[in-house]
Amino acid sequence: MYFRQIFLISCLSALAASFCFSLYQWYLVNPLIFAAELYEQATPPGSNVIEPAQPWSPGDGIERSVYTLLANFLMSLAYSLLLTSAMVFRGSSSSLKGLAWGMAAYISAFIAPGLGLPPEIPGMDVADLAQRQNWWLLTVSLTGAGLAILAFSPRYYKGAGFILLLLPHLIGAPVSAVHGFSHPDPEAIAMLTKLWHQFILQTSIANALLWFIIGISTGFLCHKFIDTVTPLGVRG
Amino acid sequence: MNANNPASLEQSVPVATTKNLQLIAAAALGLIILFGVGFAPMDIMHNAAHDTRHSVAFPCH
């Protein structure tokens, strides 16, 4: 019964969060991605390299938007499932507790990995994908564990929480040999850098909004549909 | 004699275990979905979720 409740709560929360996130993304984030893609697709002058066959991708316009909406919902659902499971494991919930969980998750899943690997726009030269994914996973896991230790463990162990928070940054994020943009035109690089800075700001706000809604709504719904019902499903 | 007592006693132990199992199952489902949306290496999956991956700052490309 916990699984069913958690799944339903996560679906409701993900619907609300992905709706608001998608609206924000549509107006303030996607235009930056599309603008950067124009530079990415521009072939350098003088190059006549034959491009390999491209794999399927959604057509621009409505098709691409629908896939993004779907991906936003699934990503919100995954985040909600993880947050709700952790919150229910720790005991009773409330909107306020949910907000605290949501902000801790925002720090773990966005701020901490973003310190080493800032959000990227298309067209950037970046380090090897597998290395970046490994560092991202390591950072998110260690930051989450570190914050959990700081919040829940006895004072004696809290130092370990700080060490876990710092560890991924001491190891260091993978960096590319050529960092930034390799576009041949300096004006394009200036434009891309401007777009990139806007992109970092807008994604930071969009993800804060996402976690704010996931945190508050899962906290509220867990309190309403899990805390007030006894484990055997008998109303107390 | 209360016939319900033995049954409720029997169930009192598994409830905590089954709670944790269900929480693990829910979290595992979350991880699987997260992998599919954010990390699956297939080009098709990547292209479909491209704008989402960029927007939540998953490592991309």
Side-chain angles (χ1 to χ4, degrees):
Chain A
M1 105 127 203
Y2 279 104
F3 184 85
R4 195 187 61 186
Q5 305 289 69
I6 289 175
F7 186 75
L8 291 175
I9 287 170
S10 301
C11 281
L12 283 176
S13 162
L15 269 179
S18 62
F19 177 76
C20 297
F21 181 78
S22 301
L23 266 184
Y24 193 93
Q25 184 194 36
W26 174 256
Y27 284 109
L28 293 160
V29 178
N30 277 352
L32 302 171
I33 296 179
F34 299 157
E37 274 179 352
L38 293 178
Y39 292 100
E40 184 187 36
Q41 283 157 3
T43 42
S47 77
N48 53 358
V49 182
I50 299 163
E51 295 219 346
Q54 294 290 317
W56 173 89
S57 63
D60 281 345
I62 190 86
E63 189 183 1
R64 183 168 174 174
S65 304
V66 168
Y67 276 101
T68 302
L69 267 179
L70 182 68
N72 283 347
F73 172 73
L74 288 174
M75 189 258 319
S76 309
L77 178 63
Y79 277 165
S80 300
L81 281 168
L82 289 166
L83 194 76
T84 312
S85 315
M87 198 157 36
V88 173
F89 179 74
R90 281 300 306 179
S92 66
S93 347
S94 66
S95 302
L96 207 60
K97 276 189 189 173
L99 179 63
W101 277 93
M103 288 304 104
Y106 174 57
I107 293 171
S108 307
F110 188 83
I111 300 280
L115 293 176
L117 294 172
E120 300 148 8
I121 52 172
M124 288 184 79
D125 284 317
V126 282
D128 176 57
L129 178 62
Q131 281 183 15
R132 280 182 294 135
Q133 287 183 333
N134 289 339
W135 190 84
W136 191 94
L137 286 172
L138 179 82
T139 308
V140 173
S141 320
L142 292 186
T143 309
L147 288 177
I149 290 176
L150 283 179
F152 303 122
S153 74
R155 195 159 47 157
Y156 186 72
Y157 296 105
K158 290 200 193 293
F162 278 113
I163 294 173
L164 287 186
L165 290 183
L166 289 177
L167 194 59
H169 304 284
L170 295 176
I171 294 170
V175 283
S176 151
V178 192
H179 193 68
F181 306 94
S182 61
H183 202 282
D185 182 5
E187 267 185 40
I189 292 181
M191 195 61 203
L192 282 166
T193 310
K194 203 173 145 201
L195 284 173
W196 182 43
H197 290 160
Q198 285 177 357
F199 186 72
I200 292 175
L201 174 72
Q202 295 299 350
T203 48
S204 302
I205 298 171
N207 281 270
L209 179 74
L210 177 80
W211 280 114
F212 178 82
I213 297 171
I214 290 181
I216 287 219
S217 60
T218 51
F220 173 76
L221 292 169
C222 280
H223 178 66
K224 199 163 167 54
F225 294 114
I226 293 184
D227 295 351
T228 51
V229 179
T230 62
L232 290 173
V234 183
R235 289 186 183 278
Chain B
M1 296 292 285
N2 190 343
N4 285 335
N5 265 348
S8 59
L9 278 177
E10 266 176 15
Q11 281 191 339
S12 65
V13 176
V15 163
T17 322
T18 187
K19 176 183 173 182
N20 285 345
L21 273 178
Q22 292 185 51
L23 295 182
I24 291 169
L29 179 64
L31 283 178
I32 291 166
I33 298 174
L34 194 67
F35 175 80
V37 179
F39 292 90
M42 288 87 84
D43 285 330
I44 291 177
M45 301 275 280
H46 171 269
N47 290 342
H50 175 264
D51 296 348
T52 302
R53 287 187 183 194
H54 273 285
S55 300
V56 292
F58 286 145
C60 204
H61 293 293

